Amino acid sequence: MLRNINKGDMTAGLLIAAVGLFFFLGAFEHEIGTARRMGPGYLPLAVGMITVFLGLVISINSLRQADILPRLDSRPLISVMSAIIAFGLSFEGLGLVPAAMMAVIISSLGDTDVRPLPTAILSVVVAFGCWLIFTVALNLPFPAFRFM
Amino acid sequence: MSEIGANILLGFDTALSYSNVMYCFIGVFVGTFIGVLPGIGSLAAVSMLLPISFYLEPTTALVMLGGVYYGAEYGGSTSSILLNLPGTPSNAITCLDGYPMTLKGRAGLALFMTTIASFFGGSLGIIALYVLAPVIVSVALAFGPAEYFALITFGLVAAATVAQDSPAKGLAMVCLGLLLGFVGLDLDTGVPRFEFGFYELHDGISFIAVAMGMFGISEVIGAISVAKHRPFNQKVTFRSMIPTRQEIRQSIMPMFRGAGIGGLFGALPGTGPSIGTFIGYSLERRISKDPSRFGKGAIEGIASPESANNAAVQTAFIPTLTLGIPGSATMAVMLGALIVHGITPGPSLMADRPDLFWGVAASFWIGNLFLLVLNIPMIGLWIRVLKIPYRFLYPAIIVLICIGVYTVRETTFDVFLVVGFGFLGYILRLLKFELAPVLIGFILGPMIEENLRRASLIFRGDFTQFLMRPISGILLGITFALLLWTAWTIIKGRRRKLTGLTNED
């Protein structure tokens, strides 16, 4: 195991290089064209190549100084992402109020101090407020409830 | 001369209409509110109000969104000073000396001085807008694709390399943005590129989804654990805000220098307000007789960056409204809003819609006056906002982001994209990447491609023609010099400690 490298930058560089490589290879599915008449693949190819190069520069640079890989703060990450997914899944089927309430409750779980009653009140307040702003005041076609 | 006077009058006539004044106030009020909240900045604030702006007249929409933008930059310094948490990314530098001032019991003074500096910088920025915009328009009418390509490339490279801790990472982020910008139908041939079988991606990735994911969601995720423990119970009285004569004298020149630096970088396409604050701060420290005072509550250390920040926000409107190239990532959202209204900003905007151009410019004066009132006599309100526990605020922010993203294209596909970009943004932040360049690359990418392809067609593939034309030649020359200098610093392995100051505490 290499000890004196910046593991964060090493990971970052390799990640960037992989993304660049993906677009670089993807560019060949399209016509590349020439400098005179560039095809749809021309710029993705060029920028993909530059990106791979930059990723490698970052990785090589990481060998110069030691640093640890940063840790994920998984609780807020998972709860916030699940909240948005729940909103996306329920908004068109169930309506604005259930989607907003679910998003509030699930995202609240990201904080370690979460307590049931304040969260329940908050979810009602936010859902009602959004309904007032978007459905009533702005007249957007978002019914409070929708039944499938 | 009389034409300029007539335009200025027309502007105030437009801006002082009842609805424009009202929406200007709503904009700066909401902007200050969101700016005060740690975690989310002007970009998320403007994106959240975007759906509302679709229902307004275009001038009013831009007056309101503009108000949100500079309002958030004013408000952002409040939590930097009181909690050591930047309210928006461009207020990060204000933490360095603002928070030590709070620890010394001088929170009132710091809040007062940042507001004055913001007003000062903002005012100079607006004057620059009045003076420079007509000049740039007259030059830009002669711009061809080569000049646009050179200007955008210069903006991208400057945004990625100037005042970044790691220029290689900044450039990598610009490239990532460019690559994301390639997703969607090719403009020339109409073939879909990198759409992975989703027809929703034919129009490209939703800009709002990228912005909200990378800036709204990933910032909230990062702030949940950080914003929890915030002991703050200092009383800010009106009396504690009044600076001494000595303190005023110490701040005046830094405010001028800050406004100049910020205004310059704000007016460049792509380089947002943060860069100006970094450079303004390090310049003050370098020229100070006693640099050791910095980081311990030096008043110059808050006056210069805040002045720079707000000057940059105002001058960011220059390239946006005169060239159609956004001056910062947030400006790109506003550019998008104008396009939804059927207005394409560019050199002809000022002649075609003088009421819009001069009306929006005049509204900045009104908005800045509102902000002076909101941030000095009414500062107690925002201090109370900061005492609301974050766990009651962020769920509401998330719901507003979801609804906002959905409203723009009315598809839940974009809501799921936000999840993806939120995750990506969070990971990139952990790996110490700066995210603003991604967004700037993403927005400017299609413009670069279009202009490069047009220019290469005109030049018959002869790239040396770019260097033969004076404006594009000079811009590309500077860009190349910037890249060489960047490569040199990377090879020498000396991390430029210009901005290393952010990691000091």
Side-chain angles (χ1 to χ4, degrees):
Chain A
M1 193 66 200
L2 283 164
R3 267 166 190 277
N4 46 358
I5 67 168
N6 183 334
K7 295 193 187 63
D9 272 9
M10 178 55 90
T11 317
L14 294 178
L15 202 72
I16 292 296
V19 173
L21 191 66
F22 175 81
F23 277 87
F24 175 77
L25 295 176
F28 287 103
E29 285 179 24
H30 305 288
E31 191 204 330
I32 305 294
T34 60
R36 180 181 289 213
R37 190 165 183 91
M38 298 178 184
Y42 195 93
L43 247 92
L45 181 93
V47 179
M49 212 150 60
I50 298 170
T51 312
V52 172
F53 170 74
L54 288 168
L56 295 178
V57 169
I58 296 168
S59 295
I60 293 167
N61 239 342
S62 75
L63 301 173
R64 289 182 175 175
Q65 72 196 114
D67 201 355
I68 47 160
L69 199 60
R71 282 173 54 92
L72 281 179
D73 200 357
S74 52
R75 185 172 169 146
L77 179 68
I78 292 169
S79 68
V80 168
M81 296 210 315
S82 322
I84 305 169
I85 293 172
F87 182 95
L89 290 176
S90 58
F91 186 74
E92 284 183 341
L94 300 174
L96 173 63
V97 169
M101 285 178 68
M102 258 195 278
V104 169
I105 293 168
I106 298 172
S107 62
S108 292
L109 298 172
D111 190 284
T112 42
D113 288 344
V114 63
R115 289 206 312 277
L117 188 63
T119 306
I121 296 172
L122 183 69
S123 72
V124 174
V125 171
V126 170
F128 182 70
C130 287
W131 176 74
L132 269 186
I133 299 174
F134 293 98
T135 313
V136 178
L138 290 177
N139 226 349
L140 290 172
F142 302 158
F145 296 95
R146 239 193 272 247
F147 302 99
M148 281 184 280
Chain B
M1 200 61 209
S2 64
E3 197 197 346
I4 297 172
N7 279 330
I8 293 173
L9 281 182
L10 170 71
F12 277 99
D13 206 37
T14 314
L16 285 170
S17 80
Y18 174 72
S19 70
N20 283 343
V21 171
M22 189 179 78
Y23 278 101
C24 183
F25 181 77
I26 294 177
V28 294
F29 187 86
V30 174
T32 310
F33 181 82
I34 299 179
V36 165
L37 298 180
I40 51 170
S42 59
L43 187 67
V46 171
S47 309
M48 272 194 256
L49 287 195
L50 193 63
I52 297 176
S53 79
F54 293 158
Y55 298 88
L56 302 172
E57 206 257 319
T59 307
T60 314
L62 201 62
V63 165
M64 180 184 77
L65 293 178
V68 174
Y69 186 20
Y70 54 80
E73 301 299 340
Y74 265 77
S77 58
T78 307
S79 67
S80 298
I81 291 167
L82 296 177
L83 304 172
N84 204 16
L85 286 173
T88 81
S90 41
N91 300 112
I93 285 288
T94 307
C95 292
L96 295 179
D97 280 281
Y99 188 63
M101 285 176 82
T102 297
L103 294 181
K104 283 189 198 163
R106 306 295 319 265
L109 173 70
L111 291 169
F112 181 84
M113 280 319 298
T114 50
T115 304
I116 296 296
S118 297
F119 184 77
F120 186 86
S123 301
L124 288 188
I126 304 170
I127 293 171
L129 172 70
Y130 272 91
V131 175
L132 290 179
V135 179
I136 292 176
V137 164
S138 61
V139 178
L141 285 170
F143 274 20
E147 281 76 21
Y148 275 103
F149 169 77
L151 189 60
I152 299 170
T153 308
F154 170 62
L156 285 178
V157 171
T161 53
V162 178
Q164 298 279 1
D165 262 345
S166 162
K169 283 176 147 181
L171 286 171
M173 288 297 96
V174 165
C175 287
L176 180 66
L178 290 174
L179 292 173
L180 291 172
F182 292 136
V183 174
L185 296 184
D186 175 48
L187 280 175
D188 263 11
T189 56
V191 295
R193 292 185 293 181
F194 306 103
E195 93 293 8
F196 312 108
F198 291 108
Y199 76 88
E200 289 94 339
L201 288 178
H202 280 190
D203 288 336
I205 298 173
S206 156
F207 167 67
I208 296 297
V210 180
M212 296 280 221
M214 290 211 161
F215 284 87
I217 297 299
S218 84
E219 283 173 357
V220 167
I221 294 172
I224 290 175
S225 305
V226 182
K228 268 179 76 156
H229 313 287
R230 304 179 296 168
F232 166 68
N233 32 28
Q234 192 171 127
K235 269 227 152 59
V236 177
T237 58
F238 196 67
R239 180 178 279 273
S240 74
M241 297 177 109
I242 308 298
T244 63
R245 195 175 289 248
Q246 159 85 8
E247 282 158 345
I248 295 172
R249 207 174 319 125
Q250 274 178 321
S251 321
I252 286 179
M253 283 321 285
M255 281 198 256
F256 263 107
R257 287 188 287 261
I261 294 166
L264 176 70
F265 281 98
L268 290 181
T271 51
S274 297
I275 292 174
T277 66
F278 282 124
I279 296 181
Y281 184 88
S282 46
L283 176 73
E284 289 311 319
R285 194 164 66 166
R286 198 163 302 166
I287 63 175
S288 169
K289 287 193 196 97
D290 181 13
S292 68
R293 283 172 45 247
F294 282 79
K296 294 173 192 151
I299 197 158
E300 304 95 306
I302 59 170
S304 168
E306 280 304 312
S307 173
N309 184 8
N310 287 276
V313 167
Q314 302 295 359
T315 56
F317 281 87
I318 298 176
T320 314
L321 294 177
T322 60
L323 301 170
I325 304 174
S328 68
T330 311
M331 283 310 311
V333 186
M334 279 184 249
L335 197 73
L338 279 177
I339 291 169
V340 170
H341 281 288
I343 293 171
T344 320
S348 57
L349 177 78
M350 203 185 278
D352 293 347
R353 290 292 307 266
D355 58 319
L356 185 141
F357 183 89
W358 296 102
V360 169
S363 82
F364 295 159
W365 290 114
I366 300 167
N368 272 282
L369 285 175
F370 278 139
L371 284 165
L372 215 48
V373 177
L374 282 175
N375 283 281
I376 296 177
M378 288 175 68
I379 188 73
L381 177 68
W382 309 116
I383 294 175
R384 233 164 290 154
V385 166
L386 278 180
K387 288 185 174 164
I388 304 173
Y390 198 59
R391 63 176 187 278
F392 295 140
L393 291 171
Y394 78 83
I397 295 171
I398 285 168
V399 172
L400 287 175
I401 288 176
C402 289
I403 298 178
V405 169
Y406 180 85
T407 318
V408 178
R409 296 211 293 204
E410 307 224 337
T411 160
T412 45
F413 181 81
D414 286 353
V415 178
F416 295 122
L417 274 185
V418 170
V419 181
F421 283 107
F423 180 72
L424 180 68
Y426 180 72
I427 298 294
L428 289 173
R429 253 172 228 281
L430 271 188
L431 295 173
K432 300 189 178 109
F433 281 103
E434 198 74 48
L435 293 186
V438 184
L439 215 52
I440 294 162
F442 178 73
I443 301 146
L444 296 179
M447 291 187 197
I448 278 213
E449 183 170 25
E450 196 191 334
N451 286 298
L452 177 64
R453 281 163 81 166
R454 262 198 226 156
S456 73
L457 210 59
I458 298 170
F459 297 157
R460 298 170 191 278
D462 178 12
F463 290 132
T464 54
Q465 295 272 340
F466 279 104
L467 303 174
M468 304 312 242
R469 296 171 69 102
I471 298 175
S472 71
I474 291 170
L475 284 169
L476 289 175
I478 303 173
T479 309
F480 187 66
L482 209 56
L483 285 174
L484 272 186
W485 174 62
T486 303
W488 171 247
T489 57
I490 294 174
I491 292 166
K492 268 183 81 184
R494 195 181 63 197
R495 286 165 74 96
R496 283 174 299 149
K497 278 298 163 197
L498 185 69
T499 61
L501 16 103
T502 32
N503 310 326
E504 265 178 9
D505 50 0

